[in-house]
């Protein structure tokens, strides 16, 4: 299979690419030198889509590019960067895909559970329709709308509504570990907000599953089938690390430090992966404690 990947040097992309040993992979990246250093010279790298007239030479496109949404406060400049890094590349891919006569049969594109906004304690799946006015929803909704322009009789579109991806060397968990290892970890705000999580191995396995199942299309929640509250997540992480769990971070402090982006930690999304499971996907790590133990098994 000939596959075009964006975001190949990112957190999820780096974990995904080694699974394409028998495929021809092209990575679109702004920094070709870094891409070769991280991924190796066996992968073809391009830095502009202008090099391609269309995408007819590819069987599938996996679009994982995007500025990290949690790394900085949401200034107007940072918000624009977050939007442009998702919307522009997705629109360029769609334009190139539609420019050909024999487009890729599959277009897999990123999104996030932030599209649902704060759902409190309500349990929901992909059938939930929301109309929110917060920034996270706005980013994800337009991102998905652009990607869906690629849908046709020749091309199916799959949208990855991703939760918190658990891995030791990247993502939210890696940022949390130092405090917990020092015995300073604890719930955020009231701790009753649901944290939709997924093990990195299931994240990668799920993308490969969608790629190989032509019946799959539309939005998919990439979240484990056992969502937990932030307090439960925090308690389990402390337990796995054999550390105390006595502190907490008040909501007002999070909002003071992070501004508007604190909503990513305080909003509640009790999301279920109904459509993935309906397609026949089986999670390797459906339960949090098992997922954390496997992820952190070498942490001292």
């Amino acid at each position: 299979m000939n596959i075009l990947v964006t975001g190949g040097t990112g957190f999820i992309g780096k974990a995904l690419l080694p699974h394409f040993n028998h495929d021809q992979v092209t990575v679109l990246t702004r920094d070709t030198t870094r891409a070769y250093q991280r991924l190796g010279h066996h992968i073809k790298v391009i830095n502009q889509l202008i090099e391609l007239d269309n995408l007819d030479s590819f069987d599938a496109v996996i679009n994982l590019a995007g500025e990290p949404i949690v790394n900085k406060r949401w200034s107007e400049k940072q918000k624009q960067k977050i939007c442009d890094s998702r919307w522009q590349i997705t629109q360029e891919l769609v334009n190139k895909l539609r420019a050909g006569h024999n487009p890729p049969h599959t277009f897999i594109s990123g999104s996030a559970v932030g599209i649902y906004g704060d759902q409190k304690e309500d349990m929901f799946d992909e059938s939930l329709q929301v109309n929110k006015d917060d920034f996270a929803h706005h980013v994800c909704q337009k991102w998905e709308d652009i990607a869906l322009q690629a849908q046709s009789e020749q091309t199916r579109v799959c949208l990855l509504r991703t939760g918190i991806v658990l891995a030791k060397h990247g993502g939210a968990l890696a940022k949390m570990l130092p405090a917990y290892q020092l015995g300073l970890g604890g719930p955020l705000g009231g701790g009753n907000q649901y944290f939709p999580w997924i093990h990195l191995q299931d994240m990668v396995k799920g993308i490969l599953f969608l790629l190989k199942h032509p019946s799959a299309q539309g939005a998919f929640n990439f979240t484990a089938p056992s969502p937990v509250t932030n307090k439960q997540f925090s308690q389990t992480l402390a337990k796995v690390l054999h550390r105390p769990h006595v502190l907490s971070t008040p909501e007002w402090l999070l909002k003071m430090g992070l501004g508007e982006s604190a909503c990513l930690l305080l909003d509640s999304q009790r999301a279920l992966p109904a459509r993935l499971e309906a397609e026949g996907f089986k999670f390797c790590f459906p339960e949090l404690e098992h997922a954390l133990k496997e992820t952190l098994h070498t942490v001292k």
Side-chain angles (χ1 to χ4, degrees), residues 54-119:
N54 54 55
L55 302 184
D56 285 7
S57 62
F58 297 101
D59 300 299
V61 177
I62 302 175
N63 178 31
L64 304 174
E67 170 77 7
I69 198 168
V70 297
N71 282 10
K72 300 177 182 178
R73 288 176 67 97
W74 287 348
S75 65
E76 290 306 311
K77 181 178 179 180
Q78 183 62 15
K79 281 185 175 182
Q80 195 61 51
K81 191 173 183 179
I82 289 169
C83 293
D84 290 346
S85 66
R86 288 161 172 76
W87 300 346
Q88 288 184 2
I89 186 62
T90 304
Q91 188 66 67
E92 289 176 22
L93 288 168
V94 169
N95 291 346
K96 289 291 183 181
L97 190 148
R98 296 174 68 179
H101 298 290
N102 186 31
H105 57 67
T106 302
F107 182 41
I108 297 175
S109 191
S111 185
V113 292
I115 195 169
Y116 298 111
D118 186 6
Q119 294 297 324

Side-chain angles (χ1 to χ4, degrees), residues 27 29-37 45-48 51:
V27 172
T29 179
R30 291 170 294 182
D31 191 335
T32 55
T33 301
R34 184 178 69 167
Y36 282 127
Q37 289 173 343
V45 174
I46 60 174
N47 61 10
Q48 292 186 81
E51 299 177 31

Side-chain angles (χ1 to χ4, degrees), residues 19-297:
H19 293 268
F20 295 135
N21 287 331
H22 303 293
D23 300 292
Q24 183 177 343
V25 178
T26 300
V27 172
L28 175 66
T29 179
R30 291 170 294 182
D31 191 335
T32 55
T33 301
R34 184 178 69 167
Y36 282 127
Q37 289 173 343
R38 291 188 176 186
L39 306 175
H41 287 268
H42 63 289
I43 289 177
K44 182 180 179 181
V45 174
I46 60 174
N47 61 10
Q48 292 186 81
L49 277 176
I50 199 172
E51 299 177 31
L52 305 172
D53 293 329
N54 54 55
L55 302 184
D56 285 7
S57 62
F58 297 101
D59 300 299
V61 177
I62 302 175
N63 178 31
L64 304 174
E67 170 77 7
I69 198 168
V70 297
N71 282 10
K72 300 177 182 178
R73 288 176 67 97
W74 287 348
S75 65
E76 290 306 311
K77 181 178 179 180
Q78 183 62 15
K79 281 185 175 182
Q80 195 61 51
K81 191 173 183 179
I82 289 169
C83 293
D84 290 346
S85 66
R86 288 161 172 76
W87 300 346
Q88 288 184 2
I89 186 62
T90 304
Q91 188 66 67
E92 289 176 22
L93 288 168
V94 169
N95 291 346
K96 289 291 183 181
L97 190 148
R98 296 174 68 179
H101 298 290
N102 186 31
H105 57 67
T106 302
F107 182 41
I108 297 175
S109 191
S111 185
V113 292
I115 195 169
Y116 298 111
D118 186 6
Q119 294 297 324
K120 308 300 182 186
E121 296 182 357
D122 293 342
M123 191 178 294
F124 61 89
D125 60 22
E126 298 89 347
S127 64
L128 179 67
Q129 300 293 317
V130 296
N131 183 19
K132 300 281 186 177
D133 58 4
D134 60 276
F135 178 66
H137 170 80
H138 175 61
V139 172
C140 293
Q141 187 64 68
K142 185 167 180 178
W143 196 8
E144 291 190 3
D145 289 344
I146 295 170
L148 287 170
Q149 294 173 14
Q151 183 81 34
S152 71
E153 292 184 358
Q154 296 167 289
T155 303
R156 64 188 174 99
V157 177
C158 297
L159 304 168
L160 312 178
R161 292 181 175 173
T162 307
I164 299 162
V165 182
L166 302 185
K168 187 170 62 177
H169 299 298
L173 182 59
K175 293 180 174 65
M176 297 167 66
L177 278 178
Y180 278 83
Q181 288 169 326
L182 291 171
L184 303 175
L188 304 174
N192 295 319
Q193 70 275 29
Y194 275 84
F195 255 33
W197 63 274
I198 185 171
H199 190 287
L200 179 60
Q201 184 174 319
D202 280 327
M203 182 76 210
V204 169
K205 181 184 172 186
I207 294 172
L208 297 174
F209 178 88
L210 293 182
L211 189 61
K212 297 172 182 177
H213 283 73
S215 64
Q217 60 180 312
F220 293 86
N221 287 341
F222 269 60
T223 58
S226 303
V228 296
T229 64
N230 175 256
K231 185 176 181 180
Q232 291 170 328
F233 184 97
S234 181
Q235 288 172 330
T236 306
L237 179 55
K239 176 184 176 182
V240 168
L241 291 171
H242 305 291
R243 294 294 187 270
H245 186 262
V246 294
L247 301 177
S248 63
T249 305
E251 183 175 330
W252 66 265
L253 185 60
L254 287 169
K255 290 182 176 179
M256 184 174 71
L258 298 175
E260 186 182 352
S261 66
C263 69
L264 297 174
L265 303 175
L266 297 171
D267 283 356
S268 180
Q269 284 124 8
R270 198 176 181 181
L272 298 176
R275 297 199 65 232
L276 261 181
E277 293 189 312
E279 288 286 342
F281 182 76
K282 304 297 183 184
F283 284 83
C284 294
F285 300 97
E287 301 294 335
L288 179 62
E289 185 169 345
H290 182 206
L292 287 174
K293 284 181 175 178
E294 195 285 333
T295 300
L296 304 174
H297 67 282

